[in-house]
Amino acid sequence: IIMLLLNQTSLTPASLILHGIPGLEEMHIWISFPFCSMYVVAMVGNCGLLYLISFKDSLHRPMYYFLAMLSFTDLVMCTATIPKALCIFWFHLKEISFDECLVQMFFIHTFTVMESGVLMLMALDRYVAICYPLRYSTILTSPVIIRSGCATFMRAVLLIIPLIFITKQLPYCRGNLIHHTYCDQLSVAKLSCGNIKVNIIYGLMIALLIGGFDILCITVSYTMILRAVVNLSSADARQKAFSTCTAHICAIVFSYSPAFFCFFFNRFGSNAIPPSCHIIVANIYLLLPPTMNPIVYGVKTKQIRDCVVRILSGSKNIKSHST
């Protein structure tokens, strides 16, 4: 589908120029260090989670399968943006072909929608685990998990494909300079001399419908969880039940907080906040969840923490025996 879209002809430039962060060009090299550090942590942390979930039998449970989906989504989301941003900061490689820009746009927007969907699935998983613990393994079977993951991915793809198609068909005659570190849909559309109202309205619909639906499901799930936890007779049982949700709550905060900032800035605050601030937050929005999610789940989830400790202690024992 993507290749069919890319093969269509329209009045488009052969390449675009990603300017980076306007107004902070002299600080690009310094800005690149925290970006690079966070990206390395995100890659190591999420790849480590995927490895643990794949090879540790104790983690072959629905909760960790959903966590694997989140880790994979985070890997794709940050890899679609940060390497190109680092090339801009370090080597001044700002040029990107128009088709590559559309592909980058597709992956960024598809997997941001996917991230929201996976967080919703994880909230439903916690709801079933706490409210129906005896039926947990029978409700969330492997086929159900696979189908829900595929449905979440297809939802994202089917929503973003029309957005890419609409952007592709626009006539572009306002230059090829994008004041951003990656190909954001609205930033690319603003280069068009045509009517971009459809882009704005469709993008707004995706944000409101998907974000609203997922947040509603998360809110309802945690409302039911809170009611079930409050009704538990034992204080230890209440603490244990709620502690299983803390990592997921942190993941929600890391994901939705910068997303809300970017959304409201684009629509209502473009004249009040410097563009450089918006671009930095837009990058943090794509980089903060992949960086923090493995750390939070590694610290807050006992099973993952125990697996990491066993691996590290095993490697230390091997070294001590070898010496």
Side-chain angles (χ1 to χ4, degrees):
I1 296 175
I2 296 295
M3 296 309 299
L4 290 175
L5 293 178
L6 298 182
N7 289 333
Q8 295 186 16
T9 59
S10 60
L11 183 60
T12 57
S15 62
L16 300 172
I17 303 298
L18 292 170
H19 184 69
I21 304 177
L24 299 177
E25 291 85 358
E26 294 182 357
M27 298 182 63
H28 275 179
I29 190 67
W30 300 107
I31 296 172
S32 69
F33 290 120
F35 275 44
C36 181
S37 300
M38 293 175 71
Y39 180 62
V40 170
V41 172
M43 292 295 294
V44 173
N46 286 289
C47 288
L49 279 180
L50 289 173
Y51 170 80
L52 288 176
I53 295 169
S54 298
F55 295 102
K56 294 297 180 180
D57 293 337
S58 60
L59 301 181
H60 290 177
R61 296 170 54 191
M63 172 184 173
Y64 302 108
Y65 292 145
F66 288 123
L67 179 57
M69 292 183 197
L70 184 67
S71 292
F72 177 76
T73 302
D74 285 341
L75 281 173
V76 176
M77 193 167 65
C78 64
T79 301
T81 55
I82 300 305
K84 180 60 181 177
L86 294 178
C87 287
I88 295 171
F89 295 154
W90 290 343
F91 310 113
H92 303 287
L93 299 176
K94 301 181 179 183
E95 187 174 359
I96 184 172
S97 73
F98 189 79
D99 289 346
E100 290 174 348
C101 186
L102 291 182
V103 171
Q104 185 189 48
M105 187 191 307
F106 170 79
F107 278 101
I108 291 171
H109 292 299
T110 296
F111 281 88
T112 51
V113 173
M114 179 77 177
E115 172 111 348
S116 179
V118 173
L119 289 173
M120 176 194 65
L121 293 178
M122 296 176 78
L124 296 175
D125 165 76
R126 291 298 83 205
Y127 163 71
V128 175
I130 293 174
C131 297
Y132 302 97
L134 299 179
R135 299 172 55 193
Y136 180 64
S137 58
T138 58
I139 294 175
L140 291 177
T141 61
S142 295
V144 170
I145 295 170
I146 293 172
R147 284 197 296 267
S148 61
C150 291
T152 303
F153 175 71
M154 290 306 301
R155 181 188 72 161
V157 170
L158 293 177
L159 284 171
I160 299 302
I161 283 290
L163 190 63
I164 305 299
F165 180 82
I166 294 168
T167 306
K168 172 71 174 177
Q169 298 305 309
L170 289 172
Y172 291 90
C173 50
R174 291 183 176 173
N176 65 344
L177 181 62
I178 300 175
H179 294 285
H180 214 304
T181 58
Y182 61 82
C183 291
D184 174 68
Q185 181 270 144
L186 198 55
S187 299
V188 176
K190 286 179 180 178
L191 297 178
S192 171
C193 50
N195 190 342
I196 64 171
K197 286 184 178 179
V198 176
N199 294 68
I200 296 174
I201 293 173
Y202 189 78
L204 185 62
M205 285 177 55
I206 293 176
L208 292 177
L209 290 177
I210 297 301
F213 176 77
D214 293 347
I215 291 173
L216 177 62
C217 290
I218 292 171
T219 303
V220 171
S221 297
Y222 273 101
T223 301
M224 301 301 291
I225 289 171
L226 185 60
R227 288 179 57 185
V229 171
V230 169
N231 291 330
L232 293 175
S233 58
S234 170
D236 291 337
R238 287 195 295 268
Q239 183 178 0
K240 183 178 179 181
F242 191 72
S243 65
T244 64
C245 302
T246 53
H248 181 242
I249 293 173
C250 291
I252 293 171
V253 172
F254 291 138
S255 181
Y256 283 113
S257 297
F260 281 130
F261 180 91
C262 292
F263 174 79
F264 286 109
F265 173 83
N266 277 332
R267 270 72 189 179
F268 310 111
S270 56
N271 296 324
I273 302 174
S276 58
C277 180
H278 163 63
I279 294 172
I280 291 175
V281 173
N283 280 273
I284 291 175
Y285 164 52
L286 298 176
L287 189 55
L288 183 64
T291 304
M292 296 305 300
N293 288 342
I295 297 174
V296 170
Y297 275 94
V299 172
K300 293 292 186 179
T301 308
K302 184 178 184 299
Q303 289 85 347
I304 294 176
R305 190 168 63 247
D306 290 344
C307 288
V308 173
V309 170
R310 283 197 296 269
I311 291 174
L312 294 178
S313 61
S315 63
K316 288 180 180 178
N317 290 334
I318 290 173
K319 289 182 179 179
S320 63
H321 286 305
S322 63
T323 56

